[in-house]
Amino acid sequence: MDKLSKIKKLNAQLLAEMPDLKIGEIPDNLNSQRKLLRALMNVRPPMPLDENFLKLQDEILTAEKLERGVVKISEIPDATKNIKIWQGDITRLEVDAIVNAANSALLGCFIPLHGCIDNAIHSAAGLQLRDACNKISNGNEPTGKAKITPAFNLPCKFVIHTVGPIIYGEKPTPAEENLLASCYESCLKLAVEKNLKSIAFCCISTGEFHFPNKRAAEIAVATVKKFLEQNNLCVVFNVFKNLDAEIYKELLC
């Protein structure tokens, strides 16, 4: 069975699971059908997972992981002792854990094809990740805390989920800054508790949650440096935008 046939089979099963879902006519080509698959995975609520579905899904996601290319932590140069900066797609990193900037439901992004990191991580990991999150979520996770799940089809071993503060004003309050610091500290403590050796942070709260990029980076770097004074852990600051790359280089290099 070729990739298009596999994807169409998965799409048919997802649509059968969600009969009230209305979609228009989708072109019968690989790109369109693959986008439909991601969109359907994004909106599928937690429910029992079919083993045959997961086998096909995992085959596709594993092949795509290899196509994107896996980045080993040993390939990333140090910015300073035990701290690295890497610009790119966090779902490519082969570290012990990557950090997901989650929403308070902790179930991933339900907006089809949305560009947030939560959507990207869940889409690359597979439906198992939403199921695992559903088992540990209380439905309204507190800001600044962290929980851990397996990573499934990602090259990392685990995903650490943390809910960052949402900024509504022109600049964050001291309380909101403390909550962001707590996100980093909670993830770091959880990584050490689980005997992990490496962790990659995204830029928590700087996207959809509107935390100013420079101030967020300052808090992240200060929190990580303080933690590493007493703990042995390799930390990667994963950035996607050029703006964040320049900010972290200025702070660390």
Side-chain angles (χ1 to χ4, degrees), residues 62-76:
T62 298
E64 291 178 346
K65 173 176 61 180
L66 297 176
E67 289 170 7
R68 289 193 302 272
V70 172
V71 178
K72 298 181 182 296
I73 194 167
S74 59
E75 299 171 358
I76 308 172

Side-chain angles (χ1 to χ4, degrees), residues 58-71 91-92 94 153-155:
D58 291 353
E59 288 177 6
I60 292 167
L61 294 181
T62 298
E64 291 178 346
K65 173 176 61 180
L66 297 176
E67 289 170 7
R68 289 193 302 272
V70 172
V71 178
T91 67
R92 295 177 59 201
E94 188 178 77
N153 290 290
L154 293 164

Side-chain angles (χ1 to χ4, degrees), residues 122-137:
H122 274 263
S123 296
L127 288 179
Q128 299 98 315
L129 184 56
R130 178 164 286 169
D131 183 58
C133 286
N134 186 50
K135 292 175 181 176
I136 62 172
S137 173

Side-chain angles (χ1 to χ4, degrees), residues 59-157:
E59 288 177 6
I60 292 167
L61 294 181
T62 298
E64 291 178 346
K65 173 176 61 180
L66 297 176
E67 289 170 7
R68 289 193 302 272
V70 172
V71 178
K72 298 181 182 296
I73 194 167
S74 59
E75 299 171 358
I76 308 172
D78 288 347
T80 186
K81 184 180 179 182
N82 289 337
I83 299 178
K84 302 171 183 282
I85 304 169
W86 187 75
Q87 184 174 9
D89 179 359
I90 199 170
T91 67
R92 295 177 59 201
L93 289 178
E94 188 178 77
V95 292
D96 283 350
I98 62 172
V99 173
N100 178 29
N103 57 49
S104 60
L106 210 74
L107 296 179
C109 173
F110 280 83
I111 303 173
L113 307 178
H114 194 248
C116 69
I117 194 164
D118 196 12
N119 191 297
I121 288 173
H122 274 263
S123 296
L127 288 179
Q128 299 98 315
L129 184 56
R130 178 164 286 169
D131 183 58
C133 286
N134 186 50
K135 292 175 181 176
I136 62 172
S137 173
N138 63 20
N140 187 22
E141 296 295 326
T143 302
K145 305 299 181 182
K147 290 186 175 179
I148 191 168
T149 63
F152 301 103
N153 290 290
L154 293 164
C156 58
K157 297 176 183 177

Side-chain angles (χ1 to χ4, degrees), residues 26-56:
I26 304 297
D28 190 16
N29 60 66
L30 182 58
N31 183 57
S32 297
Q33 290 293 323
R34 183 61 184 89
K35 285 183 177 179
L36 176 60
L37 175 59
R38 176 167 176 169
L40 293 173
M41 291 170 65
N42 292 159
V43 301
R44 182 187 187 271
M47 53 180 141
L49 298 168
D50 177 75
E51 289 187 8
N52 292 324
F53 178 96
L54 292 180
K55 182 180 178 181
L56 276 185

